[in-house]
Amino acid sequence: MAHDVVSQGKPAFLFDLDGTLIDSVYQHVLAWREALQELNIELSTWRIHRRVGMSDGLILTALQRETGRKLTKDEIERLKKLHNDAFLKKVDQVRPLPGAKELLQLLTKQSVPWAICTSGTASRAKESVKSLQAGDDVILVTREDAGHGKPFPDLFLAGAERLNVDINDCIVVGDSVWDLLASRRAHALGVGLLAGGYGMDELVQAGAYRVYEDPVELTRHIDELGVQASV
Amino acid sequence: MAHDVVSQGKPAFLFDLDGTLIDSVYQHVLAWREALQELNIELSTWRIHRRVGMSDGLILTALQRETGRKLTKDEIERLKKLHNDAFLKKVDQVRPLPGAKELLQLLTKQSVPWAICTSGTASRAKESVKSLQAGDDVILVTREDAGHGKPFPDLFLAGAERLNVDINDCIVVGDSVWDLLASRRAHALGVGLLAGGYGMDELVQAGAYRVYEDPVELTRHIDELGVQASV
């Protein structure tokens, strides 16, 4: 793999999407809550919150363990569809997180390579990415591009490959424990954001190198991540 | 104040409602998000989440500080109404948290005095309390009964008075930092629950004596709180 990026002293960034660049976690949480309720599955909302960020399939595997109820293949497909439909009804509330657009612009300006790696599907992710106004050639890795969703490392490994950088030189930025666990399994450095509603301790315990509130605060401290920019 | 309760070795319990006994925090969060958006006030959802549990008035004071936008009296009244309307549209998703009904039943059976002390209004709270099926004579302290909402200690002090117990013998149970700060200002013992979506560290740092996941886990450990019951 090419190491020229590192030789310039600039790392590469692999961003999670929901809760990291886009303020959409809480809408996903209540969309899952509605979907589960439709099938009479009662699961506390905070427990759903702590699962969002995994792939839909892994969320449902975890929820089956927590509720003790085994789902059929048909029920799983129905839940995914119900969640998607419920989310689409809330999507007009969804906005980029403060500082997300500016952070991506800064990295592009500084020639720091970056990509977006999400457990979501391509169709859902493309709309969100458009709202970030980062141009038409954003490198976007979605659920369809990787064998397994987070906390498997596959999405971030695929992101590094698309950027043609060594995963060891990558900084993974995510709001959930699953991003950070995936970053450790990929041997990348993980940075946590509070913008998805996790507590600081959960992110630190999952191995975060640093934790910031949101893209605004990350940008203010970007020198801690090896990017030399006058912000 | 009467100390006979303590002489039996049984403390009294003062419960928060939303996020502690009732699974309603996330609906409140998105209801505030919708209300603010209606007035073109952009505030990240996780920051709203961290404010829920205060009185509506204190939430709006804090939000003004965070957004840097001063609200008129009319705007504040409009936001409160918009929040209430948006919440009512989601209220059919709201359920008691797992173990909440059983915990209250257990305390009643053991003659441990308990009350519910919420920053919410009486009209909203009464519906939630009904779903807990704890009988018609639940002692309920609401926003109307206290000079200030949490994190002021007023609601919990009023709860202790209604129970005719010393506040020093009370255990305050809540999901938010504001419950725990209020409990310390009241000189009661505070117990945190993760069921409102805060992280463990936030509750511990706010002074929680113990932190449990939800009413189920609290009940399993109730001997740690001085209640001798075979659960």
Side-chain angles (χ1 to χ4, degrees):
Chain A
M1 272 184 216
H3 276 269
D4 52 334
V5 172
V6 175
S7 66
Q8 297 167 37
K10 287 175 186 168
F13 283 75
L14 302 173
F15 291 100
D16 169 55
L17 186 58
D18 293 296
T20 298
L21 297 172
I22 300 284
D23 189 4
S24 53
V25 165
Y26 290 77
Q27 286 83 3
H28 275 299
V29 170
L30 282 192
W32 277 116
R33 179 92 174 86
E34 282 174 49
L36 290 165
Q37 214 148 295
E38 195 84 19
L39 266 73
N40 293 313
I41 302 172
E42 294 293 342
L43 187 68
S44 305
T45 317
W46 72 282
R47 292 191 193 271
I48 299 171
H49 184 191
R50 266 33 187 195
R51 291 295 171 185
V52 165
M54 295 176 138
S55 71
D56 289 3
L58 287 174
I59 288 178
L60 291 173
T61 304
L63 299 193
Q64 286 181 73
R65 198 169 51 229
E66 290 190 7
T67 59
R69 172 170 161 179
K70 187 89 194 131
L71 298 169
T72 64
K73 262 194 176 171
D74 277 0
E75 283 176 320
I76 287 176
E77 286 314 308
R78 189 150 166 245
L79 279 172
K80 285 187 192 175
K81 193 185 169 323
L82 285 168
H83 162 256
N84 201 52
D85 293 350
F87 181 75
L88 288 178
K89 272 191 279 172
K90 300 176 205 302
V91 82
D92 60 325
Q93 301 163 15
V94 170
R95 298 280 183 282
L97 278 159
K101 285 188 258 185
E102 294 77 4
L103 171 58
L104 298 180
Q105 277 164 20
L106 175 77
L107 294 177
T108 300
K109 201 178 134 204
Q110 297 279 329
S111 308
V112 178
W114 59 269
I116 295 175
C117 307
T118 173
S119 291
T121 56
S123 62
R124 216 159 62 193
K126 273 179 189 160
E127 283 303 307
S128 297
V129 170
K130 212 183 286 175
S131 74
L132 291 168
Q133 300 168 354
D136 294 331
D137 48 0
V138 171
I139 295 181
L140 173 63
V141 181
T142 63
R143 186 67 192 83
E144 291 87 347
D145 302 316
H148 299 90
K150 304 165 194 171
F152 282 85
D154 305 25
L155 282 158
F156 294 126
L157 293 173
E161 208 167 297
R162 290 276 296 279
L163 288 176
N164 198 28
V165 295
D166 192 320
I167 186 69
N168 291 308
D169 301 322
C170 287
I171 292 177
V172 163
V173 183
D175 69 297
S176 84
V177 158
W178 317 115
D179 294 309
L180 296 168
L181 297 183
S183 79
R184 294 182 79 180
R185 284 165 74 175
H187 300 282
L189 215 54
V191 167
L193 297 187
L194 298 178
Y198 274 83
M200 166 88 75
D201 62 333
E202 298 170 90
L203 301 179
V204 170
Q205 283 168 26
Y209 160 73
R210 295 297 278 161
V211 176
Y212 305 108
E213 288 192 342
D214 57 14
V216 170
E217 208 204 355
L218 186 154
T219 304
R220 261 191 228 125
H221 295 260
I222 200 151
D223 52 309
E224 296 173 4
L225 308 178
V227 177
Q228 286 155 1
S230 46
V231 191
Chain B
M1 270 181 215
H3 275 270
D4 51 335
V5 173
V6 175
S7 67
Q8 297 167 35
K10 287 175 185 168
F13 283 75
L14 302 173
F15 291 100
D16 168 55
L17 187 58
D18 293 296
T20 299
L21 297 172
I22 300 284
D23 189 4
S24 54
V25 166
Y26 290 77
Q27 286 82 4
H28 276 298
V29 170
L30 282 192
W32 278 115
R33 180 93 172 86
E34 283 174 49
L36 290 165
Q37 214 148 297
E38 195 84 18
L39 266 72
N40 292 314
I41 302 172
E42 294 292 342
L43 186 68
S44 305
T45 318
W46 73 281
R47 292 191 193 270
I48 299 172
H49 184 189
R50 265 37 186 190
R51 291 295 171 184
V52 166
M54 295 177 140
S55 72
D56 289 3
L58 287 174
I59 288 178
L60 291 173
T61 305
L63 300 191
Q64 286 181 71
R65 200 170 49 230
E66 290 190 7
T67 59
R69 172 169 161 179
K70 187 88 194 131
L71 298 170
T72 65
K73 262 194 176 172
D74 279 359
E75 283 176 320
I76 287 176
E77 286 315 307
R78 189 151 166 244
L79 279 173
K80 285 186 192 177
K81 195 187 166 323
L82 285 167
H83 163 256
N84 201 53
D85 294 350
F87 181 75
L88 288 179
K89 273 191 277 172
K90 301 175 205 303
V91 81
D92 59 324
Q93 301 164 14
V94 170
R95 299 279 183 282
L97 278 159
K101 286 188 256 185
E102 295 78 3
L103 171 58
L104 298 180
Q105 277 165 20
L106 175 76
L107 295 176
T108 301
K109 202 178 133 203
Q110 299 278 328
S111 309
V112 179
W114 60 269
I116 295 175
C117 307
T118 173
S119 289
T121 56
S123 61
R124 216 160 61 194
K126 272 178 190 159
E127 283 302 306
S128 297
V129 170
K130 214 183 285 175
S131 74
L132 292 167
Q133 301 168 352
D136 295 329
D137 48 0
V138 171
I139 296 180
L140 173 64
V141 182
T142 64
R143 186 67 192 82
E144 291 87 348
D145 303 316
H148 300 89
K150 302 165 195 170
F152 283 86
D154 306 25
L155 282 158
F156 294 126
L157 293 174
E161 209 167 295
R162 290 275 297 278
L163 289 175
N164 199 27
V165 296
D166 192 320
I167 186 69
N168 291 307
D169 300 322
C170 288
I171 292 177
V172 162
V173 183
D175 68 297
S176 85
V177 158
W178 317 114
D179 294 309
L180 296 168
L181 296 183
S183 80
R184 294 182 79 181
R185 285 165 74 177
H187 300 283
L189 215 55
V191 167
L193 296 187
L194 299 178
Y198 274 83
M200 167 87 77
D201 62 333
E202 298 170 271
L203 302 179
V204 169
Q205 283 168 26
Y209 161 75
R210 296 297 278 161
V211 177
Y212 305 108
E213 289 193 341
D214 57 13
V216 169
E217 207 202 356
L218 186 155
T219 306
R220 259 190 229 128
H221 294 259
I222 200 150
D223 52 309
E224 296 173 4
L225 308 178
V227 177
Q228 287 156 2
S230 46
V231 192

